[in-house]
Amino acid sequence: MLRVLEGKDYNDMSRIAANMIFAQITLQPGCVLGLATGSTPIGTYNHLVECYKKGDLDFSQVTSVNLDEYRGLNGTNDQSYRYFMNEHLFHHVNIKPENTHVPDGTNPDAVKECGRYDQLIETLGGVDLQLLGLGNNGHIGFNEPDDNFEKGTHCVNLTESTIKANSRFFSSMEEVPTQAYTMGIGNILQAKKILLIVSGTAKADIVRETFTGPITPRVPASILQLHKDVILVGDKAALSKL
């Protein structure tokens, strides 16, 4: 089932998304949150930090698992997703560091690392609420357009368009990682609830394709049509063609 919530602008959309996560933590203090990185969730995290600082939100029992991490980057690298999460959320709230999980980009053994992460998610009892952004090509996590849906955590070769999109964060193209560890489509679909956030006119076409087009691995996010509980939160611009 798909529920669509529209915000007036990016800030309003971020507030609505934060309220969904706020409600999840309030109703289930020991919940497992699946978290995402990228520019879209920053506003959502800012709102959650504000709620915590006001004394309205307690992260002390929350566990988090992140969708992905660049292969080859350690958590102290300012372009790693561990660093991103520390900067935008973890270091500003009372979540226990040992309860925050991100794939280990420094593990050179892809099979071992992916197996470890799948096992971790299973041990935690799965994800209660999974936050997702949406790539311009329909990717969720780093599940890029492909000929089939990858089920579990895997090592992915990033597409040229994704590498190019990420290059704005690095001083040269040579520094941009070309691979990442990412949760698979199967991991994402097993989440009890999915919260997809989108912002801006540039996302309008892919939002429409994701939810009104065919289910195909060429548009990885289209698989969300099969999930029983998806909340799509977007600003007016991103939802304009839905």
Side-chain angles (χ1 to χ4, degrees):
M1 187 181 84
L2 173 67
R3 284 180 284 162
V4 182
L5 301 174
E6 183 177 287
K8 296 187 294 289
D9 52 25
Y10 173 76
N11 187 57
D12 197 35
M13 177 276 292
S14 300
R15 179 189 58 78
I16 294 167
N19 285 346
M20 295 285 145
I21 298 170
F22 182 105
Q24 181 71 41
I25 297 170
T26 303
L27 293 169
Q28 189 185 359
C31 64
V32 177
L33 297 178
L35 299 178
T37 53
S39 53
T40 310
I42 290 174
T44 301
Y45 294 147
N46 288 345
H47 281 282
L48 290 172
V49 170
E50 278 176 33
C51 291
Y52 167 74
K53 286 180 175 173
K54 284 178 190 168
D56 296 334
L57 198 51
D58 178 15
F59 285 84
S60 64
Q61 296 177 60
V62 171
T63 299
S64 70
V65 286
N66 260 73
L67 280 167
D68 41 32
E69 178 60 284
Y70 287 122
R71 190 179 187 193
L73 297 191
N74 67 44
T76 58
N77 186 301
D78 64 5
Q79 294 306 323
S80 74
Y81 289 152
R82 162 63 73 179
Y83 187 95
F84 175 100
M85 292 306 306
N86 287 342
E87 287 295 295
H88 293 288
L89 184 65
F90 298 157
H91 284 175
H92 306 285
V93 298
N94 66 333
I95 194 167
K96 292 172 184 164
E98 64 269 25
N99 288 348
T100 64
H101 303 283
V102 181
D104 180 5
T106 65
N107 190 341
D109 188 331
V111 173
K112 201 169 181 180
E113 179 54 24
C114 295
R116 180 194 74 83
Y117 211 64
D118 282 343
Q119 183 62 52
L120 168 73
I121 295 166
E122 198 177 316
T123 303
L124 292 171
V127 172
D128 294 301
L129 184 150
Q130 177 66 60
L131 179 66
L132 294 175
L134 180 64
N136 288 321
N137 62 2
H139 75 243
I140 44 177
F142 270 129
N143 293 283
E144 301 279 11
D146 204 346
D147 294 328
N148 51 55
F149 292 111
E150 287 276 1
K151 289 180 184 172
T153 304
H154 58 286
C155 182
V156 66
N157 295 317
L158 304 182
T159 63
E160 199 176 325
S161 66
T162 298
I163 292 168
K164 195 174 176 184
N166 291 343
S167 67
R168 68 188 187 277
F169 304 118
F170 294 84
S171 52
S172 71
M173 280 294 283
E174 289 68 39
E175 289 179 34
V176 186
T178 57
Q179 290 183 313
Y181 291 133
T182 184
M183 277 193 212
I185 294 294
N187 300 117
I188 292 168
L189 284 183
Q190 281 168 6
K192 297 175 187 75
K193 185 179 292 184
I194 290 173
L195 176 60
L196 180 69
I197 56 175
V198 287
S199 172
T201 312
K203 295 288 169 73
D205 284 328
I206 195 64
V207 167
R208 180 183 59 193
E209 204 174 337
T210 293
F211 291 105
T212 66
I215 297 170
T216 166
R218 304 313 304 172
V219 182
S222 64
I223 196 80
L224 297 179
Q225 293 180 40
L226 298 179
H227 196 276
K228 65 182 187 299
D229 192 358
V230 178
I231 304 162
L232 170 62
V233 181
D235 57 21
K236 217 174 184 64
L239 301 180
S240 60
K241 296 185 178 178
L242 193 62

